[in-house]
């Protein structure tokens, strides 16, 4: 629905998993997109993060979720022009 109001060139999608791996790099991609000076963010402490340990979901549930979201993930990959980091192998 966003494309009804904004051209594709004005939208930038941040993938949380990529941001968490390298926050400053991802922030500077946003800065570049906005045409503003890059920033240093220094250190920070992530709060409120949970984790899903291996085995916390039934394999059948994981497979169902991947199957269910696959068409949506493919659309998002096409939109952002690159693969998503959480695709099932």
């Amino acid at each position: 629905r966003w494309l009804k109001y904004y051209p594709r060139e004005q939208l930038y999608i941040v993938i949380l998993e990529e941001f968490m791996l390298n926050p400053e790099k991802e922030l500077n991609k946003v800065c570049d997109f906005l045409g503003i000076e890059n920033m240093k963010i220094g250190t920070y402490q992530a709060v409120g993060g949970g984790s899903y340990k291996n085995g916390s979901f039934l394999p059948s549930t994981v497979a169902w979720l991947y199957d269910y979201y696959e068409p949506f993930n493919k659309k998002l990959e096409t939109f952002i022009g690159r693969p998503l980091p959480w695709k099932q192998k």
Side-chain angles (χ1 to χ4, degrees), residues 25-82:
K25 177 183 175 184
E26 296 303 317
L27 174 63
N28 286 324
K29 286 181 183 179
V30 173
C31 291
D32 292 343
F33 177 79
L34 295 172
I36 63 175
E37 187 176 326
N38 285 353
M39 302 178 192
K40 284 203 166 286
I41 58 174
T43 59
Y44 70 96
Q45 179 181 359
V47 295
S51 67
Y52 298 101
K53 294 179 175 56
N54 289 337
S56 63
F57 289 103
L58 293 173
S60 60
T61 302
V62 173
W64 183 89
L65 288 168
Y66 276 110
D67 289 344
Y68 179 83
Y69 285 105
E70 182 179 18
F72 304 103
N73 288 337
K74 283 184 179 184
K75 284 183 181 180
L76 181 54
E77 286 180 326
T78 299
F79 187 76
I80 65 174
R82 57 192 169 83

